[in-house]
Amino acid sequence: MSQIGKPPGDNAVIRHGCEATPCPPRSKPWVLAAAIIGSSMAFIDGTVVNVALPAIQRELNATAFQAQWVVESYALFLAALLLVGGALGDLFGRRRIFALGVVLFALASVGCALSGTVQQLILARAVQGIGGALLVPGSLALISANFAEKERGRAIGTWSGASGITAAVGPVLGGFLVDHYAWTWAFLINVPMALAVLWIAWRHVPESRGSSAGSGLDAWGAALATAALGGIVYAFIEAPTQGWRSAAVMAALAIGMASSVAFVLVERRVESPMLPLQLLRIGNFAGANLLTLLLYAALGGGLYFFPLNLIQVQGYSATVAGAALLPFILIMFALSGWAGQLVDRFGPRLPLVVGPSIAAAGFALLAVPGVGANYWTAFLPAVVVLGLGMAVTVAPLTTTVMNAVGPDAAGIASGVNNAVSRAAAVLAIAVFGVVMAWVFDAVLAEGLREAGASAQASAFIEGQRSKLAGAEMPPGIDAASAAALKRAVDASFVAGFRWVMLICAALALLSALSAWVMIGRGPSEARVAVPKPR
């Protein structure tokens, strides 16, 4: 799932000076419209895909781990190349790179809709991620380049409000398309939006470049970040099916770990690094990013499995599952202004301890419902508590990141923080998938024995284990036996889901602890040499 709680690219690229003066007043509404529609494409696509996954898994006969790749292939390239996309806009023109991202994203969306196999869909989603890495940073860069400082805050506020509306509408719209038409429409909806954005950009958006147009690009950093994330993610997703001792899994894990080390070494030496390591010497910045890593791992990884539970186990429609998180989003939207004042009133540490602690309670509540749970009494309270916790956290977290480094590097810092949050979700989905598979397999074996399944039925279900709750029932068995087997499968998924939610709660508590220990301590920005914007 696209990052819920922050709009896509939130503050990711308000980081570079621009050579162009703010655009004429008549062009500003068009610039804002292009930024809103462009970022909405990426945001809607991320939320819609999670709701569409059960239908995709069923129609393409995909395993649960292949379904993970449908999400991960997109998120992987988006997370790894997000900062590179912003730098490319500074070097070659923000409008040009933004438009290129929109074109690539739209073409890949058509490729997703035309995919006849899950492998083709995974490849098309990877290309979508590359397009997203170009257009997501560009949306805020256009606003930053074309609005004067006095107008910029209001423009970003309008953009943020529109992103909140998109967050609320996207999953419901996606669920409706899946239920009444086909999952392919969840991707084709991007095409008319892309055409509108390209027309606006071509006719009404002036070109601009960053003040670092001659500083070069951290290509090695981008390649190593992609290899590091990709290797580790591949190992964790494929291990349940291939085994940890398989050559492919061990090689991927080795590549991921070696690339991670090489990335750090390169970033220490390259002139214009993706991740300026000097920033990590700033106590509040390091603490805020550790909190982000832990909390957004819980959020991204946990909410990946939530729609699967609602649709495949609880029997909800895709439309209802898409609407299930509406209270979460509306709470975030309603309380954003109030939460933005918390740092001024209490300092950063208190809200960054209290907010994740409340979120941990929300995750723990999601671990309670069993099979056949009622949404209003079982899931809604958890969603509300989780939304309240994230509302208390997000604005203070962004403020802490921006304040930690001073104005010259605030944009770089927020871009790094956004990339960390996305990488956290990528890694969490992969790791949680291993936990889910382990618990599911253990509980299913016991459930089949308790259900009195025949040897043939048990063997058939065992062969379907890789589909988790999407497992098909053996052909030719009576209704009572099929119902008993389905209950065993559903109970196994819920058991795994509970483990995942409890791990999410633990991660949220650890993020609160990291805030308590690190925020407000350590060197301040005044004593740290902060790199100039690229």
Side-chain angles (χ1 to χ4, degrees):
M1 176 175 290
S2 179
Q3 183 183 327
I4 298 179
K6 288 183 180 179
D10 185 23
N11 290 321
V13 287
I14 311 174
R15 67 181 197 231
H16 306 296
C18 60
E19 296 172 348
T21 56
C23 64
R26 66 179 180 275
S27 296
K28 291 178 181 178
W30 291 107
V31 171
L32 192 56
I36 289 172
I37 300 172
S39 61
S40 295
M41 288 170 55
F43 197 90
I44 290 176
D45 196 78
T47 55
V48 163
V49 168
N50 273 20
V51 176
L53 268 184
I56 292 172
Q57 183 180 347
R58 182 177 62 253
E59 294 188 22
L60 296 184
N61 195 31
T63 68
F65 309 109
Q66 289 172 327
Q68 278 183 269
W69 274 117
V70 173
V71 173
E72 293 283 62
S73 58
Y74 171 81
L76 171 63
F77 283 94
L78 180 60
L81 302 179
L82 186 66
L83 293 176
V84 175
L88 285 172
D90 290 336
L91 289 169
F92 301 110
R94 291 165 174 148
R95 183 186 70 169
R96 179 180 302 166
I97 297 301
F98 174 76
L100 177 62
V102 171
V103 170
L104 195 59
F105 196 92
L107 292 176
S109 297
V110 174
C112 290
L114 297 178
S115 297
T117 66
V118 69
Q119 290 81 8
Q120 293 172 357
L121 179 58
I122 291 169
L123 178 61
R125 287 282 288 165
V127 178
Q128 260 194 327
I130 298 172
L134 300 179
L135 77 88
V136 166
S139 62
L140 271 176
L142 292 177
I143 295 176
S144 179
N146 291 288
F147 284 80
E149 185 175 352
K150 293 181 179 179
E151 303 172 304
R152 196 173 297 152
R154 185 175 181 180
I156 292 174
T158 302
W159 176 90
S160 181
S163 298
I165 295 172
T166 301
V169 173
V172 182
L173 174 62
F176 177 83
L177 292 173
V178 171
D179 283 337
H180 294 85
Y181 298 96
W183 62 265
T184 55
W185 286 100
F187 295 105
L188 291 176
I189 194 175
N190 293 322
V191 176
M193 296 174 68
L195 292 175
V197 172
L198 291 172
W199 181 83
I200 293 171
W202 179 260
R203 295 292 301 272
H204 299 286
V205 177
E207 185 60 280
S208 64
R209 286 179 172 82
S211 59
S212 58
S215 64
L217 185 68
D218 184 12
W220 277 108
L224 289 170
T226 305
L229 278 175
I232 295 171
V233 167
Y234 180 91
F236 275 92
I237 290 181
E238 294 299 321
T241 53
Q242 297 188 35
W244 282 104
R245 296 184 179 181
S246 74
V249 170
M250 293 182 68
L253 190 59
I255 290 172
M257 300 301 291
S259 298
S260 299
V261 174
F263 175 78
V264 173
L265 296 176
V266 166
E267 296 305 279
R268 292 178 61 183
R269 291 170 171 79
V270 72
E271 181 180 353
S272 300
M274 284 177 55
L275 174 60
L277 297 179
Q278 301 97 315
L279 294 176
L280 298 180
R281 295 169 54 197
I282 302 172
N284 279 9
F285 182 78
N289 277 282
L290 179 57
L291 184 153
T292 299
L293 180 69
L294 296 169
L295 185 59
Y296 277 89
L299 190 69
L303 296 188
Y304 168 82
F305 290 99
F306 187 51
L308 298 177
N309 187 352
L310 295 181
I311 295 172
Q312 294 182 327
V313 175
Q314 310 300 337
Y316 297 170
S317 68
T319 306
V320 173
L325 284 174
L326 271 178
F328 175 98
I329 298 167
L330 294 176
I331 290 171
M332 291 281 304
F333 185 69
L335 297 183
S336 59
W338 166 79
Q341 305 172 25
L342 292 177
V343 172
D344 294 333
R345 295 180 60 186
F346 303 105
R349 185 189 298 169
L350 184 60
L352 293 181
V353 170
V354 172
S357 299
I358 297 173
F363 283 119
L365 288 173
L366 281 174
V368 174
V371 179
N374 181 275
Y375 173 78
W376 300 104
T377 58
F379 292 109
L380 178 61
V383 170
V384 169
V385 173
L386 182 59
L388 179 60
M390 292 303 299
V392 173
T393 304
V394 170
L397 178 61
T398 302
T399 302
T400 301
V401 170
M402 298 291 283
N403 290 344
V405 298
D408 285 344
I412 295 176
S414 60
V416 169
N417 183 252
N418 192 272
V420 167
S421 68
R422 293 179 182 276
V426 171
L427 294 171
I429 291 172
V431 174
F432 290 176
V434 173
V435 174
M436 170 63 78
W438 175 68
V439 177
F440 182 88
D441 289 350
V443 176
L444 180 62
E446 180 64 27
L448 291 176
R449 285 194 295 269
E450 292 180 357
S454 65
Q456 294 82 357
S458 294
F460 184 91
I461 294 294
E462 288 286 338
Q464 295 277 313
R465 285 184 307 167
S466 62
K467 294 184 178 180
L468 298 179
E472 300 173 4
M473 294 298 104
I477 62 172
D478 60 87
S481 298
L485 293 178
K486 177 61 176 170
R487 284 194 298 270
V489 170
D490 290 346
S492 302
F493 186 91
V494 167
F497 182 80
R498 284 171 169 164
W499 269 84
V500 168
M501 291 302 111
L502 291 175
I503 293 173
C504 290
L507 288 172
L509 287 176
L510 284 175
S511 72
L513 179 62
S514 71
W516 177 259
V517 172
M518 299 180 68
I519 300 295
R521 307 177 192 271
S524 68
E525 50 144 316
R527 296 193 292 272
V528 176
V530 178
K532 293 181 179 180
R534 292 196 298 268

